[in-house]
Amino acid sequence: MVLSLVVLLAIIGSIVWLTQGCEFSPSGPTVDPSSAPTVDASKELSGAARRVDFPVRLPAVPADWRANSSNTVPLGQGATRTTAVRVGWITPGGKYLRLSQSKAPVEDLVVMEAGGGVSASSTGSVDVAGRTWAKHRGKGDEPSWVLPLDGVQLLITGSGTDEDFRTLATAAQTAKPIAKS
């Protein structure tokens, strides 16, 4: 029995070695940012701006950020039912940030983005270029920053650094609403 176990381990070891099927990574898994999908944020947000009843902004993010997701999701119920327009970017450091825009109440947007089960109460604030963003708990360890602007809530969440959050916050708050054409 021990001999057959040795033979099996030798066969499995040979297959793993030949195909490089295993990798030792003591710092945790890594993700190749170039393997993620890419979307045209300008096109997606322009299309969403024509479909929703609130102004949508296209932030001018750094050129090396890659938009990799975009969607619109229903939010709220009954008379308060609306939509959230979302776009996500991957930064050069492999971090992810998502900007959600909605006319929903802050509490509804925060709870939706955090996946439910999270209190929508603020945990502090941060000043970005003269505007005060409220900090909230997000999904897992991810923070959420929220800024009410011209009747629309801007919410940023993700695994990005504080500098990444500040970059997206500045771009979002200074972006002009997309013209509905």
Side-chain angles (χ1 to χ4, degrees), residues 12 37 49 68 72 118 146-147:
I12 293 170
N68 79 323
T72 57
V118 172
V146 180
L147 175 70

Side-chain angles (χ1 to χ4, degrees), residues 77-169:
Q77 297 178 10
T80 62
R81 188 167 180 85
T82 186
T83 304
V85 176
R86 308 179 336 169
V87 173
W89 289 270
I90 296 178
T91 67
K95 300 293 186 176
Y96 177 78
L97 289 173
R98 179 174 54 240
L99 171 66
S100 295
Q101 304 176 64
S102 180
K103 69 175 187 176
V106 171
E107 298 77 22
D108 292 350
L109 186 59
V110 168
V111 169
M112 186 269 301
E113 285 294 344
V118 172
S119 167
S121 60
S122 176
T123 60
S125 63
V126 61
D127 181 72
V128 178
R131 296 217 183 240
T132 302
W133 290 71
K135 289 184 170 184
H136 296 267
R137 295 188 66 180
K139 190 177 288 184
D141 291 336
E142 295 178 351
S144 292
W145 291 11
V146 180
L147 175 70
L149 185 63
D150 300 330
V152 176
Q153 317 311 325
L154 304 178
L155 182 145
I156 300 171
T157 190
S159 62
T161 64
D162 273 355
E163 187 59 34
D164 294 336
F165 269 74
R166 286 182 175 281
T167 298
L168 183 52

Side-chain angles (χ1 to χ4, degrees), residues 36-44 66-70 87-89:
T38 300
V39 300
D40 183 345
S42 175
K43 179 180 173 186
E44 297 294 328
R66 192 161 46 89
N68 79 323
S69 63
S70 174
V87 173
W89 289 270

Side-chain angles (χ1 to χ4, degrees), residues 27-69:
S27 62
T30 58
V31 175
D32 178 12
S34 65
S35 67
T38 300
V39 300
D40 183 345
S42 175
K43 179 180 173 186
E44 297 294 328
L45 288 173
S46 294
R50 288 190 296 273
R51 294 187 308 270
V52 299
D53 62 346
F54 56 88
V56 175
R57 297 168 185 271
L58 172 61
V61 298
D64 54 357
W65 286 27
R66 192 161 46 89
N68 79 323
S69 63

